[in-house]
Amino acid sequence: MTNYIIRRVMIIPILMAGISMLIFAMLSLLTPYERAALYVTDIPKRQGAIEGIIEKYGLDDPIYVQYWRWMVGQKDEDTGEVTGGVLRGDLGWSKVGKSTVAEVIARRLPATAELAIWSAIPLIGLAVWMGIKAAVNHDKFVDQILRLAAIAGWSIPTFVFGLLLLLKFYSDLDLFPPGRLSIGMNEFIQSDAFIQYTKLHTLDALLNLRFDVFKDAIRHLVLPVVTLSVVSWAFLLRVTRSSMLDTLRQDYITTARAKGLPESKVISRHAVPNALIPVITVGGLTLIGLFNGVVITETIFNIKGIGSFLAQAAVALDVVSVLGLTLFSSMILIVGNLVVDVLYSIVDPRIRLD
Amino acid sequence: MTFGYVFKKLIKNPIAFIGLLLLLGFIIMAVWAPVFAPVPENARDPYMIPRDGFSAVPVPPNEDHILGTTEGQYDIFYGIIWGSRTAFRIGVVITLFTTLMGIMVGSVAAYYGGWIDEVLMRITEIFQTFPFLLTAITLTSVLQAVYGRGEAGALIYSAKILAFLTFGHSLAEKINPIQLTILTGMISIIMFGWMTIARVTRGNILTVKNYEYAIAAETIGAKNLRILFRHLMPNAIFPVLVIASMNIGSYVLTFAALSFLGLGAQRGYADWGQMISFARNWIPSLAEYSHIVIYPGMAILLFVLAWNLVGDALRDILDPRMRGTK
Amino acid sequence: MNARKLLYILSLLVIASMLIVACGPADSNNNADMDNNMANEPAANEPAANEPAADEPAADEPAGFEYPFKNPDTYVVASFGEPETLDPAWTYETSGSAFENNIYEGLVWFERERTDVFVPILSTGWEANDAGDVWTFDIREGVTFHEGGTLEPHDVAYSMQRALLQDRVDGPHWMTHEVFFGTYSIAESIGDGSGGVADGTPEELVAACELVKSAVVADDAAGTVTFTLVQPAPWFMAILANSFAGAVVDQEWMAENGDWDGDCATWQDFNDPAAEESILFNVANGTGPYVLDHWTPGEEIVLTANQNYWRADDDPIWEGGPSGIASIQRFVYLLIDEWGTRLAMFEAGDADYVVVPAQFNSQVEPYYGEITCDAPDHKSCVEVASDGWIQAYTGYQRPIMTPAQFNQAINSEGGNVFQGSGALDGNGITDDFFTDLHIRRAFSYCFDYDTVIAEALDGEGTQAQGPIIAGMLGYRDDGFVFSYDPDKCAEEFQLSESGVWDTGFYMQIAYNTGNEGRRLAAEVLKAGIEDVNPNFQIQVVGMPWPVLLNARRAGKLPIYVGGWLEDFHDPHNWVHPFLHSGGAYGRVANIQDPLKTELDTMIAEGAALTDPDARRPIYEALQLKAQEEAIMIWMYQPLVRYHFSPWIEGWYYNGAYSAGSFSYIYALDKVGP
């Protein structure tokens, strides 16, 4: 297995290179003038302004030169000093984020992470429980209802669902507002009286023993978490159900039943642990799949996280930001996948990684 | 397994029956759109929703507009009816292309194996590693810029083919700029939507490949390609069809998400996602203007639901082994 | 089997209930429509939803509603739009310069709401020679920078020299170079002026720097700074009051922190930097009443009052104006893109000022309390409510104008989607379509000015008279303006010798996606034109900004709906961009000779004079010519509103401020109940 992990880790740079090249190729479809538009928010007032910008940022260099510059940095002809370069750990300057890409990630990741972590709880807990419930009652009423609910959940557009929730619980009942914290709370947590250990507001609130902050953060989290998890919830429910069904048909379950074990024990002791094995894989993938959901969810609920930023940068055609953030999120996906695979082989000895 | 058998099974399944019923409803809506929502006399393009003034404030349902108007006074009822045509077109054409691409990549990889397989699967993996929606957003923005230039080139021809299949737009004519943004969204979804089918096809062919008749055919000396098409494809293709039918709904969803972010259909085009995007400006008073979300939202939900219900049942009927996988 | 039947029924029920949900809100909406003030009082409304909603609107607001007082001494603004940088010499957009106006100071500043009267700030007085091209300022003593340095005359000179030499390529200093040297960039002062900065030899570069230094001279002993202009410029003071040219930085501190040290041998290393390359990108060291606390990009910018501000308590900036340390201790600028969130914050008392896009005015009107109106007989002065909590200031004419610029020589090279077939065959337009005066006039007659003003601006705007805005030198009391008149429009089309009335035409008008005002203007123009003749067809297309910018540069757009916000308050800054063949609009309008030469000559004439009475006839003539020749569709100027919480006091309107709400926080107070 160590070999397998090493091999997988070795392949990461190749994937990364492939990904960055693909994005670069995509962006090379743009003319220098279109790329320069990022730096010009209004019509240029001086003649030759756009041409000057193109020259300043080297936008008309051949695309491989630009790629190389982005990868290994730029050498100053006079001083010989090299600046930038992804390989040297510099993801570059984000024009849209008005800071370095690394700073953008550092600033925006906590919001996304908090959202994803909280979404995972109802997701995994509820979906797995319901999936088991459905399988145990196979083809009975409960099963059919859950199945229908899963399809419905799978069919609802994230943004419609989010808007409907806002309609009811914010616009109508004024229970759960958008954003991450109320303004007053936001001011408070930035003061010296509150130490931000992780920038995950809920966790920090608990660490500071400030339950009012915790409550406020939760109040803002409820709707986005529900919105984000509903699609994946449906998916996971179905996987759990079918995995459980498969397990229930296995010989050893029949044997256990034949031995006269009570049904509840058969299920909790023998069936569930085995049925959960494939769920781990899919569950991991689902969490990764949340990445797609965050773009819409963060946009609707006005959360300043990675997803909403990337959407903003992509629309503005900010090449450096898009490249940096895509690389970063791809990295998370790849590592996440690897972890899931390894976990999978640990819990299920039948699977051999090679 | 004849068509009649499948159909009978579908009718008997209550869930699928509802799905079929809904689908039928949408088909009727799309086919007879001009009857349900007549095109105003002086309209130049029936897909542009007629508007009653320019005011931003939405108007709730009333006698003139039975489902009300949304921001910009676009008639919601008209938009929903004609939007069903857009939904069918987008869903079906995207599915067609992703399925073809997936089958091609998957079968070539599986059949030839070796380094071809390795390279193709590595590429598939790279595409799968992208955060799908984010990359689709980027590609759509880029393509909108590229096509906006209106210069000739390979990309324009591919868009023309797509325009021909989607809108029946003549290949000789210039692309209608109103349709252009829809095409760019579709291309992005196709570019990043073929991987699942490729993997499934590859997996199935690898299984089927070991079957005796394939081996037998090879020993007789039949040409590689002929083997591929004669024997392997039909056996591997059924599961793919199931996935494809389920995909239609999710592509419509993805396209709607692009529209919602302002990267899909043009403002005022009969497209459900575009109609819902207006709601973003009215969130605090959404309770008052709920009609601008609920009606188009219901349309998308029911449309996607219909496909998923049918797809789910189809899967059970055609391939019991696949129960529960995506 | 039984379970299956049940399931049938249940599935049907699910679908049916969805449909019911879908149809449900219709009822409550009708109620909401009748009683249009109940938008945000949901809980109180629920029980009454079924009763006829004939209550007084006032009943919605609980009697004795008290607007919460939060954040004492802190002025919170919720807005969108973020500075590109906080380096004043680099900045050429309103958001950045508004912050700089609080942090940095120049020699002069506007006297309260006046845009043409200046008060001394870092100077104690000034005089100009008789010709009006040499200005000498006495520099104030006893002023310290935020980081501790003392203001000396050479700091003032250095700041101006740095601005002129930094001269970023898309920056504001074409104006500065114009007044000092009659050129538009530093590159024009290098060698023969044909190359860029990088092409200059070391000698040429030093010479260019020396030229700049000779125009801006400090005399530390005498405590003066002297500016020598190439010719008298009536708007020189207005430029000095702007932060891009006026803001004063500390030369020693700048050099210590790695910026230019004033040496003519190294200035080119600091020429045309990217925004983030300037050391002042996100740190600041000015003399102003506020200090930059922090800027978290994408989230907030916070300023705090300068506790060591130089102005004494008995030395008000103008009569009755603020003095001493600023009254508002903290200024918080929150970046909130979503309008809905901003509104919610405003209602909760979390923001003292929010930016309200004109189309959403109706959403805040129910909360209007005290209304101050600047345009007496205008719609915006209609009383909407008077027992609410918003301090509303309405009807202010901002120096902004939206024109639709014709392109008289469309570039069809390599194909041009915007002009259709490229021929006047009913499916396109020719390259010289808009060279025809009759067609330009027809377009001007077919544009429904009132509808656009009513819909895009919610009625709050006025039709523009020409390039020069209302209230400015050159704005005429009388004279011809177009009005919406389909008959005259048709007549003009028929008069055109191109035969367009019979053949018809097709063209596209593009706007940048997301710009609602421009979209609406294009849509109204489309509707007006298509109404007069069924063979006329215009397609309005939203496009990403890069595409539009590119197409405009290449001269491919037949019509471009744009906008102009003045850089400095003088008619020159209006006629030059619009009408001059080198102006931002003029150079893509491709105005043809002899009109082109005529306009260029008149503009140069007007700029060379200082006496307002001598200038007036020239600008009035330009104004009339621009209208009669229908060089553009002079569409509208907006009137704007400002919405404050009840606690902000001392506000006044100054049209030259880049952000009306916070360009000069020093003058404001926050007073609790």
Side-chain angles (χ1 to χ4, degrees), chain B residues 58-62 288-289, chain C residues 27-38 53:
Chain B
V59 178
N62 55 49
E288 190 183 348
Y289 305 117
Chain C
D27 304 329
S28 58
N29 270 327
N30 287 340
N31 283 339
D33 190 36
M34 275 184 265
D35 184 357
N36 50 26
N37 278 334
M38 49 198 266

Side-chain angles (χ1 to χ4, degrees), chain A residues 7-8 11 14-15 17-20 22-23 26-27 29-31 34 138-139 144 147-148 151-160 163-164 166-167 170-172 178 235 238-239 241-242 245 249 291-293 295-296 299-300 306-307 310-311 314-317 322 325-326 329-331 333-334 337, chain B residues 13-15 118 122 125-135 137-139 141-143 145-146 149 151 155 192 246 250 253 256-258 260-261 263 272-273 276-277 279-280 282-288 290 293-294 296-298 300-301 304-306 308-309 312-313 315-316 323-326:
Chain A
R7 245 188 45 184
R8 282 281 296 264
I11 218 164
I14 299 175
L15 285 179
I19 287 167
S20 58
L22 205 67
I23 302 182
M26 234 155 74
L27 294 161
L29 294 172
L30 297 173
T31 64
E34 285 154 0
H138 182 50
D139 270 348
Q144 298 282 23
R147 204 171 145 199
L148 198 66
I151 299 177
W154 182 250
S155 307
I156 194 161
T158 330
F159 53 95
V160 173
L163 285 170
L164 289 176
L166 275 174
L167 193 169
Y170 171 57
S171 178
D172 194 357
F235 181 44
R238 295 166 58 112
V239 174
R241 174 179 171 271
S242 68
L245 279 179
R249 285 194 210 105
F291 249 101
N292 288 327
V295 178
I296 298 280
T299 305
I300 293 179
I306 298 273
L310 235 170
V315 174
L317 291 176
V322 170
L325 271 105
T326 313
S329 36
S330 301
M331 189 79 186
L333 296 199
I334 293 173
N337 267 324
Chain B
N13 181 325
I15 290 182
E118 185 66 25
R122 230 22 92 214
E125 200 172 324
I126 288 177
F127 272 85
Q128 277 192 317
T129 320
F130 277 114
F132 167 70
L133 191 57
L134 295 177
T135 326
I137 293 171
T138 314
L139 185 57
S141 316
V142 170
L143 287 179
V146 173
R149 256 181 262 146
E151 290 159 9
L155 273 167
F192 292 94
M246 300 270 310
S250 71
L253 276 190
L258 281 182
F260 179 76
L261 291 171
L263 289 167
W272 298 331
I276 296 171
S277 68
R280 279 172 72 178
W282 304 92
I283 286 175
S285 43
L286 213 50
E288 190 183 348
S290 56
V293 190
I294 290 188
M298 272 299 138
I300 299 189
L301 172 62
V304 179
L305 187 68
N308 285 349
L309 290 175
D312 191 63
R315 172 166 49 201
D316 281 1
R323 278 190 151 202
T325 58
K326 199 230 135 167

Side-chain angles (χ1 to χ4, degrees), chain C residues 47-215:
Chain C
N50 292 326
E51 295 167 18
D55 300 346
E56 294 280 329
D60 289 337
E61 203 105 277
F65 169 79
E66 272 183 29
Y67 186 74
F69 178 71
K70 296 184 183 171
N71 311 313
D73 293 332
T74 301
Y75 177 32
V76 183
V77 166
S79 178
F80 55 86
E82 190 171 22
E84 292 288 312
T85 173
L86 290 177
D87 181 346
W90 205 96
T91 302
Y92 195 13
E93 37 79 34
T94 55
S95 163
S97 52
F99 283 100
E100 286 149 16
N101 289 334
N102 290 294
I103 299 171
Y104 295 94
E105 289 173 318
L107 297 174
V108 294
W109 183 238
F110 303 99
E111 186 183 302
R112 206 164 182 270
E113 70 274 18
R114 301 294 298 267
T115 52
D116 52 352
V117 180
F118 302 90
V119 292
I121 301 288
L122 295 185
S123 61
T124 49
W126 60 83
E127 62 181 8
N129 64 352
D130 290 340
D133 58 356
V134 178
W135 295 70
T136 304
F137 286 80
D138 299 318
I139 306 303
R140 189 180 290 275
E141 288 179 10
V143 176
T144 50
F145 287 95
H146 299 161
E147 297 294 331
T150 308
L151 174 78
E152 289 167 274
H154 69 258
D155 292 318
V156 179
Y158 166 84
S159 303
M160 182 65 91
Q161 290 159 3
R162 175 178 176 270
L164 283 162
L165 292 169
Q166 187 192 70
D167 187 39
R168 76 164 163 115
V169 67
D170 191 31
H173 295 294
W174 60 274
M175 296 177 274
T176 330
H177 279 277
E178 191 190 18
V179 291
F180 277 111
F181 310 113
T183 57
Y184 293 101
S185 73
I186 186 67
E188 288 177 56
S189 303
I190 297 172
D192 63 357
S194 60
V197 173
D199 304 325
T201 64
E203 294 76 34
E204 285 170 350
L205 292 174
V206 170
C209 173
E210 294 297 347
L211 176 74
V212 166
K213 287 198 167 181
S214 69

